[in-house]
């Protein structure tokens, strides 16, 4: 399988840099997979789990929004936050979801809609983490 260069960058660190076979990105307009030779594209990234496939191994990284750009140089994802599943404190993540739910009463209008959308993204990450733990 042909490979391409992939960089995953967050404000804190370069989370990943290297040659990969495929990257599955949680896009705002739907998840999408990138292979070598993918057409140039710029896409918004939603909170979710980004999967890096290289040499038959899969590495899953939680991203909380950002921007993805595919060019002739490869794929670059600029993530607001990038945390490997192994580094994630699942209890803290669950507590953050509970805190988000508790604050709904303080929100209204579009602020409420945005809070619901963010909570949905976090809960889908939590669901996938639970499913991943069983495999």
């Amino acid at each position: 399988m042909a490979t391409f260069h992939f960089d995953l960058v967050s404000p804190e660190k370069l989370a990943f840099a290297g040659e990969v076979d495929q990257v599955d990105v949680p896009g705002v307009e739907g998840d999408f997979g990138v292979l070598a030779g993918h057409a140039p594209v710029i896409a918004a990234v939603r909170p979710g789990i980004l999967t890096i496939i290289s040499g038959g191994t899969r590495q899953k990284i939680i991203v909380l929004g950002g921007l993805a750009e595919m060019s002739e140089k490869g794929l670059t994802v600029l993530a607001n936050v990038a945390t490997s599943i192994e580094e994630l404190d699942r209890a803290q993540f669950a507590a953050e979801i509970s805190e988000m739910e508790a604050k709904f009463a303080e929100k209204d209008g579009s602020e409420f809609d945005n809070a619901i959308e963010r909570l949905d993204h976090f809960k889908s990450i939590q669901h996938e983490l639970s499913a991943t733990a069983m495999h």
Side-chain angles (χ1 to χ4, degrees):
M1 176 179 269
T3 63
F4 62 97
H5 188 77
F6 172 58
D7 289 322
L8 175 59
V9 183
S10 73
E12 296 84 28
K13 62 187 174 190
L14 176 62
F16 183 93
E19 295 298 307
V20 298
D21 298 324
Q22 179 176 340
V23 178
D24 295 331
V25 181
V28 168
E29 295 183 20
D31 295 359
F32 61 96
V34 177
L35 299 168
H38 192 287
V41 67
I42 296 177
V45 176
R46 68 167 172 75
I49 297 179
L50 180 141
T51 305
I52 303 166
I53 302 167
S54 182
T57 63
R58 292 176 180 267
Q59 181 179 357
K60 294 183 181 258
I61 299 176
I62 296 167
V63 293
L64 299 180
L67 190 66
E69 178 184 15
M70 182 65 187
S71 69
E72 67 280 347
K73 296 177 187 174
L75 175 64
T76 300
V77 173
L78 304 173
N80 298 340
V81 174
T83 305
S84 72
I85 288 180
E86 295 78 26
E87 294 173 351
L88 181 70
D89 180 339
R90 292 182 189 217
Q92 175 62 33
F93 193 74
E96 193 170 333
I97 289 173
S98 294
E99 185 178 320
M100 292 167 86
E101 290 172 328
K103 290 185 177 181
F104 279 152
E106 302 168 13
K107 305 200 182 304
D108 61 356
S110 66
E111 188 179 61
F112 180 78
D113 293 341
N114 290 337
I116 288 284
E117 181 179 26
R118 186 157 175 84
L119 177 64
D120 285 346
H121 290 312
F122 274 62
K123 282 190 169 187
S124 85
I125 291 169
Q126 188 177 43
H127 175 73
E128 190 165 338
L129 288 171
S130 297
T132 301
M134 294 187 287
H135 296 293

